[in-house]
Structures are given as C-alpha cells and as structure tokens.
Amino acid sequence: MRDDLKPELAPKLAVELGLKPDEYEKVVAILGRTPSLTELYMYSLMWSEHCSYKHSRKALRMFPTEGDHVLQGPGENAGVIGVGDGWALAFKMESHNHPSAIEPYQGAATGVGGIIRDIFTMGARPIASLNSLRFGTLDKPRQRYLFEGAVAGIGGYGNCLGVPTVGGEVYFDEAYEGNCLINAMSLGLMREENLTSATASGAGNLVLLIGSTTGRDGIGGASTLASQEFDEKAEDKRPSVQVGDPFEEKLLIEACLELLDEKLLVGLGDLGAAGLTSSASEMASRGGVGLDIDVTKIPAREDAMKPFEFMVSESQERMLAVLVPENLDAAQAVCEKWGLRSTVIGTVTDTGRFVVREGDEIVADMPAATLAHDAPIYDPAKTRPAYLDEVQAFDPTMLDHPDGEDALGDVLLALLASPNICSRRWIWQQYDHQVMLNTVVLPGGDAAVLRIGDTGRGAMTTRGVAVSSDCNGRYCYLDPYVGAQIAFAEAARNVVCSGGHPAAITDCLNFGNPEKPEVFWTFHESVRGLSDACRAFGVPVISGNVSFYNESFGSPIYPTPTVGMVGVLDDVSKHCTMSFKSEGDVIFLLGETENEIGGSEYLKLTHGIVSGRPPVLDLDLEQAVQATVLDAIEAGIARSAHDCSEGGLAVTLAECCIAGGLGADIHLEDDLPAYASLFSESQSRIVVTTTPDDAERLVALAIAYEIPYTVLGTVGGESLSFEGVAGLTLANLRRAWEPALEKALAAE
C-alpha cells in the first residue's frame, strides 16, 4: 500500500483532524501499522461526534423504540411507521447548525436536501418538510443576516425541489447568538412493501455512484465543523460548508424511486456527512460484507483531487447503490432517462474489508465495521450545573407586576408583537406549502395536516397525518428533565388539537460541548425526561439526531431537545383548527391555570429575566386532557381547539380571535392575580369551542376523563375583552401581531 504519510507526522495530523491521541492509537492497533493519509481522514470523519455519537450513544439507549405503528426504528436513514391501509410514513429530523452559522443560505438549503435524501433512500416519496430554527435577538444585524439567509435557503431549496414546507417553529434568544440552530424535518410516503434498507450484500455485486460530481466542497464538515466549538476562527471553516443543487436532487428522487420500483437495486444509501466513506462503510457493515472502490472512477468536478478528498467530500446530491451485474444496463438506462450520471466505482466483496484504490494502487485498507461501528464509546462525567440552584430558587411572584386594565392590555399587545409569538407569515409565505395539493391545514396552525395520497385503487384514502415540531429552550435551561417533557407534551398537544393521534417522534438534540460535565448533565437529563414522557404516552422514538458542540467562545446554547411529532388521523376530514368559528360558540378551558411564570415569555418581556422554575407537568393530566380533546374532535363536538403555550391564555385566545376574525367575551373566575390568569404558561391546557347545544356533551367528556374545566365565555363581537381586566379590538390585536416580524427585520 502506498505510504503517503510519514509515521512521525501522523499523530499530529490526527489531532488536527479531530481525533484524540488515544483514538489515534486505537486506529493504529486496528490496522497494525501507521494509517495512510486516506485512512486517517476516513477514521477522523467516521469517529467524529457527528457520525459516531460516541458521547451520546449510551444515553440514547433510554429511548423506547418499539410500538404498534413502528416498521423501522433507529439505525437506518429514517424511521418508518405504518399509518393504515398498507401506507407507511418515513420521517426524520436532523441538524445543520454549524454550516448555517458560517453560511446561512447554503447551510440551511443543504440541510433540507440532506434530510430529504434520508427519506427517499427508504423508498418513500418526500411529501413535506418542516423546520425548527433558533437565532439570537433580531436587534443585532448579524442575527438578521443569519435568519434571513436561512429562511431563504430553506425556501429556495424546497421550492425548487417541489416538496412543500408545511410547518415549523422559530425562537429568538441571546443564548443562540453564537450558534444558530437549523433543524430540518422531512416526511415521505410509501407502501409498506416498498420499505428499503441501506445495506450492501452479495459478493461480486456492483457499487454504483449516482448523481452529482464530486468536488472539494464540504470536506471535513462532520469533524472540523460539526464536532467542534466555534471561536474567532469560525469563518475560516467556510470551505467546509456544502453547496446544494435542488434541481439535481429532484432528478435523484425520481430516478431512485423508479430504480426501487423496478426492483433493480439490492441497497441504496445517500452520501451525507462524511460522504462516500460514511455511506459505503455503513452499508457494508450492515450487510457484513466488504467493498473495493477505485477513486479514479468517481466523476470529479475539480482537477487533481487526492484519494482522501474523494472519500470524505460532502458534495451534495449523490447516492450510492448496490446492484447485481445483470441489472446494470437497466439501472443506468433509468439514470440516463432522468439526465443523471451513474458510474460503477467498485464491487462488493466477502472479505469484510473496505479497500480504496487509486487505479492499481491501494491507498486504504481496513475492516469496514471498524469505521461504521467501532468508534470509542464514552461515558462522560455528569455534574449538575451550579446555576440551577440560583435560578430555581428565584420566586418570580415576588416581583412587581403590571396591574390595571390599561397596563395588562399593553402587556398583551407587547407579547403579541414579541418575535417569539408574533405572526410567522413573513417566513411561510416564502415557502411553497401547497405543492402536491395534499396540505389540508396550512402553516400558522397548531400542526400541519396532510392527506395521504392516492391509494392506487382510483380513489383517495380518508387517512391523514398531523405533524409538529416543538421545544422551549428556556424551560430546558431552567430544568432540562421537565423542559424536555414539555417539548414532547406540547408537540403532542399540537398534533391532538389538529385531530391526530400521536404515533411516534423523531428528535434533534441540540447541546453544547459534551466533554463539559455540566453540559452533559443537561443532555442526560433531557434524554431521561423525553424518554419517560415517551413511555408514559406509549409513543416511541424512531429516528433522530444529536448535535453537540453548539457553543461559541465557551458559552453553550440553551439545552434544546427538539421534538418532531407525527400523529395519525383515520379520517382527515375530521381535522380541527384554532380559529373561532361562529358567534355564540361557547369557549372552554380544559385544564387548570396556576401561577407559573418561571421561564415565561411574559417574565422575559416585562422584567428581562429567564429564571424561576418552568411550569409543572403532570403526564397523567396531560394524557387525559389530550384524550378529551381527541374524543371531542372525532365526535364533532369541538369546533376549534388551540393549546396554551408561550404567552399563556391571553395570547392563546388572541390567536384564536385573529385566526377566526371574531372577538370573545371572557370571564376569568380563578383566584389568581390578573397577570397570572392571563400570562401564566401552565401546561396541559387547551382552549376548545363548541356550540351551545354541544356544551353539555363536552362537559360530560371532561367529567368522564376527570379533568378540570372552565367555561371562559362566548365567541362574538369585534373585541377580545376580559371582564374587569382588558378589552382590545381585533384591529389592535392584528396591528400588534401581524407586522411585528417584518418590523424587527427592518430594525424599526
């Protein structure tokens, strides 16, 4: 084998590439010699945190991964659930945080492209995308640049691709100033029998590279970019950001789905993080086989590329297929039909070894499984952060709070204009959310609702899915265990308010440096909390992503375990929305309000602090409230449903009024101070409206499920009025809520 790396230089280069000294020694022990340059690059990428999950893997074992709907759990490119009538839904969420913090348009765009490839790799046609975004506050020019660039990248890629962007969330907080979060989620639809695996098998079978040429863009993205903290040299990492081509990806979708439909492939994988090294080694390892690849066969877009550059490039829009030799002509004909390159770059072997050649010369030779699955697994130290004692001991009820009709009305208007609550229309109007014509509930509601496509029997199925992504990083900062459970509960509430039965989740776990005991403690507690919530609800985790090292200059982001929830509707026509429907409808609050303003948007707005304890979450009560709402929707009792979250009950009611163009007359009958009645963020609360004739039926359901409920008032008029507290016209509410994001971006 060609010796292109001097032994005395190898340890230093290994550290520069992100390997720890003892990890380098493990590579030497596996190979029995000094690694070649290509081997060192390949191991550094595959053993990076981004690819190997070496700090998180033990904790992730807490997650439940099996359930009635599950067809494919974690371990493949995406998880898959059955949704009825032989239909299956593939979905996953992943991060593209670090690339987006360097180059927001391409970072976000390629995040969308990567997650969509994960979906059609499973044999599913992508039908929808969502995103979960975090930035610093919009009063800073760089944050406005990052936000606008990321939104443009998501829209630019998704719109060209023809996959609707149907929902998501965005928050702005100083904690994300150094590291924005770009979490992309995608869903795809298929028949159950078409479920595909990214597995290589069959000695003598061919390895076919399909799609774009390979360049130097994205080299080292998973190790030097995604698995390190940011510092003053962050901009130097710009070459590690990939560049996307959505038109090429659209052709890839069609070609790959046709190849799978025609049964021409043995296995199919996408080239994402770590490029060809990752897809090839993982496919080989899953199948217990080896691969022999010649880099001179790989179509290159740049001159004089070295073998290691071919192996670790993260150039986008590339797929790796395994097929029997007799299917090669037919497979290449399909690729040619769609205008795509397809090149045989190697063969499957029975040796279990991953061999890389440059023509006749071997440049890498290692056991394939050691790349994909033998990275060291760590059990990091955990220390409860000292700041928790201070913030949890703080009692926000002891502060001076606004009182009086005018003051409280002003607070409500200010909350509606807050970047964390105001209308997101500026964002979703940039997205094509109706392409494919299956979007039943448009962006802006509690959850996106999609109908399942044609059954193939000449009629539309009645089934649908509801999907939402949620997390409140402030809650997780104040109590990561409870905060993670609230992320799950809110995602489930959003799905339930739309009529969906929660079926499974994907997650994107965003944290700082796991080698810091305080950071890892917050990660471990978040995983424990999310796991306990999943088990309580019987909802498994079927896919996901961990993103560590989200910190800059030593300061980590808030713990942000984002939850992507999918719920199933047996009859999509029985979906529900938040908008008040008719004058005279009765407004109910299911659940109970307590004086819980710790970590609330109200507390940050009025006092500029993030402190106190987050709201208490009773999982039994949460399940009972959600079951009540689902029964009410399916029985036709609920005319609208909207969960109480950021901003509390007053914001929830204002959003219902704005969406429906109808006011409401509200009577608050609790014994709480007015600010708590209006702006507390107590959990397990849903506002539901019903006709006067059905009010007793809703009461009967609440009693049957043993949940607290309150009749708040009635729908009607041109104002939202709280008896003795505040009265605001719909025009004033809209004036505060609708243009606020555009004003913030214009720095008004």
Side-chain angles (χ1 to χ4, degrees), residues 138-182:
L138 290 176
D139 57 338
K140 297 179 176 66
R142 176 162 178 79
Q143 299 306 312
R144 296 196 294 273
Y145 159 74
L146 292 172
F147 173 53
E148 291 176 319
V151 170
I154 291 166
Y157 201 100
N159 294 350
C160 293
L161 199 58
V163 176
T165 302
V166 297
E169 56 165 359
V170 61
Y171 288 90
F172 304 94
D173 196 287
E174 293 88 348
Y176 303 101
E177 186 171 315
N179 271 97
C180 60
L181 301 185
I182 309 295

Side-chain angles (χ1 to χ4, degrees), residues 120 151 206 243 315 328 359 398 502 538 566 616:
F120 69 79
V151 170
L206 304 178
V243 177
S315 294
L328 177 62
M398 302 303 293
V566 170
V616 172

Side-chain angles (χ1 to χ4, degrees), residues 89-110:
L89 196 75
F91 62 95
K92 188 182 183 182
M93 181 183 289
E94 281 197 342
S95 63
H96 232 223
N97 303 337
H98 292 76
S100 301
I102 300 297
E103 212 303 304
Y105 184 97
Q106 290 296 344
T110 53

Side-chain angles (χ1 to χ4, degrees), residues 604-626:
K604 183 66 185 294
L605 177 78
T606 57
H607 292 84
I609 59 176
V610 177
S611 202
R613 288 185 177 272
V616 172
L617 180 64
D618 181 331
L619 291 174
D620 291 333
L621 174 61
E622 184 71 46
Q623 290 181 77
V625 169
Q626 292 186 22

Side-chain angles (χ1 to χ4, degrees), residues 506-518:
T506 183
D507 59 52
C508 198
L509 309 176
N510 306 274
F511 291 81
N513 185 342
E515 299 167 68
K516 297 179 179 178
E518 294 83 0

Side-chain angles (χ1 to χ4, degrees), residues 147-301:
F147 173 53
E148 291 176 319
V151 170
I154 291 166
Y157 201 100
N159 294 350
C160 293
L161 199 58
V163 176
T165 302
V166 297
E169 56 165 359
V170 61
Y171 288 90
F172 304 94
D173 196 287
E174 293 88 348
Y176 303 101
E177 186 171 315
N179 271 97
C180 60
L181 301 185
I182 309 295
N183 294 176
M185 180 177 175
S186 188
L187 304 89
L189 187 66
M190 66 179 136
R191 300 295 297 172
E192 289 186 8
E193 61 269 20
N194 291 338
L195 177 57
T196 302
S197 175
T199 302
S201 62
N205 284 341
L206 304 178
V207 179
L208 189 70
L209 183 63
I210 303 171
S212 186
T213 54
T214 299
R216 293 186 173 93
D217 52 317
I219 287 179
S223 57
T224 62
L225 187 59
S227 299
Q228 296 181 17
E229 297 178 29
F230 280 169
D231 54 25
E232 65 277 355
K233 297 181 180 180
E235 286 294 324
D236 296 343
K237 300 176 181 179
R238 186 176 293 272
S240 293
V241 179
Q242 311 94 322
V243 177
D245 180 353
F247 299 105
E248 185 90 352
E249 179 125 335
K250 173 61 176 173
L251 299 174
L252 271 179
I253 293 174
E254 301 304 331
C256 289
L257 291 179
E258 184 171 337
L259 289 168
L260 293 171
D261 287 342
E262 297 296 325
K263 311 298 182 188
L264 295 175
L265 304 183
V266 173
L268 180 67
D270 82 294
L271 277 70
L276 182 57
T277 293
S278 175
S279 59
S281 65
E282 289 175 354
M283 291 176 73
S285 183
R286 289 189 189 108
V289 297
L291 294 177
D292 194 311
I293 287 175
D294 183 355
V295 297
T296 65
K297 303 290 181 62
I298 298 173
R301 73 174 63 143

